[in-house]
Amino acid sequence: MGKQKIERLLAQLQGNHSQDIQNAAAIFTVAQGAVKQLDQIDRAAPAQTVLPAAPISLTKADLESRYGKFNACRKAAKQAGITFSKTPSWSQLVAAFSYLEACQSCVDAYLQDHPCPDLKGVRLSLRLGN
């Protein structure tokens, strides 16, 4: 191999090396801009509230052991703020008591994330289902 060919190959190698450095710098600049944009998006995104676990599984026997027979369970439901559009079935009573704790956990988490002193003493009634 001749001296000129070796010098030409070395020059080409140096040129490739310089081009690699420029490409790496460009990639770094683009990546740095992307990281900044993602950071801004993360800061602007609202905090995700973790929902509670699925409602607890209650049975008719559970309600009877806690509150007594049907009318006593209806009275306990009313005291807990649970109302029905008509006389509920046992399955509706069981479902309402099962969801009560999970729904209250959601409300508590929301109020902790977004406190409002004007809501002190306020009671809200929500409609579940249709």
Side-chain angles (χ1 to χ4, degrees):
M1 212 182 258
K3 183 177 178 184
Q4 286 180 341
K5 191 170 184 178
I6 292 175
E7 286 176 359
R8 193 172 9 132
L9 288 173
L10 284 175
Q12 187 178 7
L13 191 59
Q14 279 183 325
N16 288 345
H17 182 67
S18 296
Q19 188 63 41
D20 286 346
I21 290 173
Q22 288 176 354
N23 289 341
I27 290 170
F28 178 78
T29 303
V30 170
Q32 191 175 24
V35 167
K36 283 183 182 179
Q37 284 181 336
L38 286 173
D39 189 42
Q40 288 173 350
I41 290 170
D42 283 346
R43 276 191 250 125
Q48 296 282 332
T49 302
V50 177
L51 294 176
I56 55 174
S57 294
L58 294 175
T59 63
K60 176 183 172 183
D62 293 332
L63 293 183
E64 285 181 323
S65 69
R66 286 184 192 179
Y67 308 111
K69 296 293 179 192
F70 185 78
N71 285 334
C73 286
R74 286 188 62 195
K75 184 177 180 181
K78 186 176 181 180
Q79 288 174 343
I82 300 170
T83 58
F84 301 92
S85 60
K86 58 182 182 175
T87 302
S89 63
W90 268 110
S91 63
Q92 288 175 314
L93 275 169
V94 168
F97 275 105
S98 295
Y99 274 75
L100 181 63
E101 187 176 327
C103 290
Q104 189 61 54
S105 295
C106 288
V107 170
D108 292 343
Y110 187 85
L111 288 173
Q112 186 175 354
D113 290 346
H114 309 283
C116 178
D118 295 331
L119 290 176
K120 187 173 183 158
V122 174
R123 183 179 182 140
L124 297 176
S125 215
L126 303 174
R127 183 180 311 266
L128 304 177
N130 293 329

